Amino acid sequence: MTDPRQPLMTQPLSTQSLIVQLLDAEFTAFEAALHACPDALFGQAPRVGHRVAWHALHVMDWTRATIQPGLTGPDPAHTFGYLGFEDTDWARAAHGPTLAEETDAPALIRAAVSGVFNAARRDLRAAPAGRFDPDATFQMFHKRRDVTGSVTYHLRHTAYHRGQIALVTKELQ
């Protein structure tokens, strides 16, 4: 019988396991923030900054640009519409149709985000452990990126936009 006062974890988490847990928690919190925004406010513009719909699609596109490419390599068929750097040459080269548009119904945007997050969760769990080695890198857009650094930066980036969604929702209510 296990002593309930002892920690459940007896082995240290691998980098991969830790990243899976942290991104799963952040993706869950991000989706909760999207669901906390009433549909009527989802596409409304705040006084400053972006609509909730834009934040959702921005994080969705960056998830597509950082998770799968870092684990299995970039998909040249992927185009992006909400990178936030649309005035740069590298973003213009990747610009094109994405999974949803800012003018789409909130339910469609939420479903697109959820689908991308679920695919990222699967990719993270299925990735070879070597993709999380300190020297593992991948080429995406205009530069070479560190896999673990890119994924953990995306974790913080997602949390930032979750906060922006909360602020926009509060402002518009």
Side-chain angles (χ1 to χ4, degrees):
M1 184 157 154
T2 306
D3 182 346
R5 295 170 293 178
Q6 294 298 315
L8 293 176
M9 191 172 33
T10 58
Q11 298 289 327
L13 284 175
S14 69
T15 301
Q16 182 173 3
S17 295
L18 180 61
I19 287 172
V20 166
Q21 285 185 16
L22 293 172
L23 271 172
D24 181 55
E26 184 52 47
F27 286 166
T28 299
F30 188 88
E31 288 184 276
L34 292 180
H35 286 284
C37 178
D39 286 358
L41 304 179
F42 214 76
Q44 283 189 23
R47 286 187 312 260
V48 176
H50 297 285
R51 295 167 171 81
V52 169
W54 184 91
H55 288 286
L57 296 170
H58 176 72
V59 168
M60 179 191 76
D61 271 359
W62 273 106
T63 301
R64 293 171 60 231
T66 57
I67 305 295
Q68 178 265 338
L71 302 176
T72 61
D75 182 342
H78 281 182
T79 55
F80 307 91
Y82 297 92
L83 295 175
F85 295 94
E86 279 66 30
D87 60 341
T88 62
D89 289 341
W90 64 266
R92 277 195 295 276
H95 189 79
T98 187
L99 302 177
E101 297 295 329
E102 207 172 342
T103 55
D104 288 339
L108 191 140
I109 293 170
R110 288 183 187 110
V113 169
S114 182
V116 167
F117 284 0
N118 287 336
R121 288 173 172 116
R122 282 189 304 274
D123 289 346
L124 285 161
R125 286 184 181 98
R131 291 309 298 151
F132 297 91
D133 287 345
D135 59 346
T137 62
F138 68 107
Q139 181 74 34
M140 190 62 187
F141 301 132
H142 61 294
K143 65 181 178 179
R144 190 125 205 100
R145 299 168 187 269
D146 171 72
V147 172
T148 301
S150 184
V151 172
T152 56
Y153 176 83
H154 186 60
L155 171 70
R156 297 184 308 277
H157 178 236
T158 303
Y160 167 79
H161 284 284
R162 177 170 46 92
Q164 293 298 300
I165 289 168
L167 290 173
V168 170
T169 301
K170 183 177 179 178
E171 176 190 323
L172 296 175
Q173 285 182 326

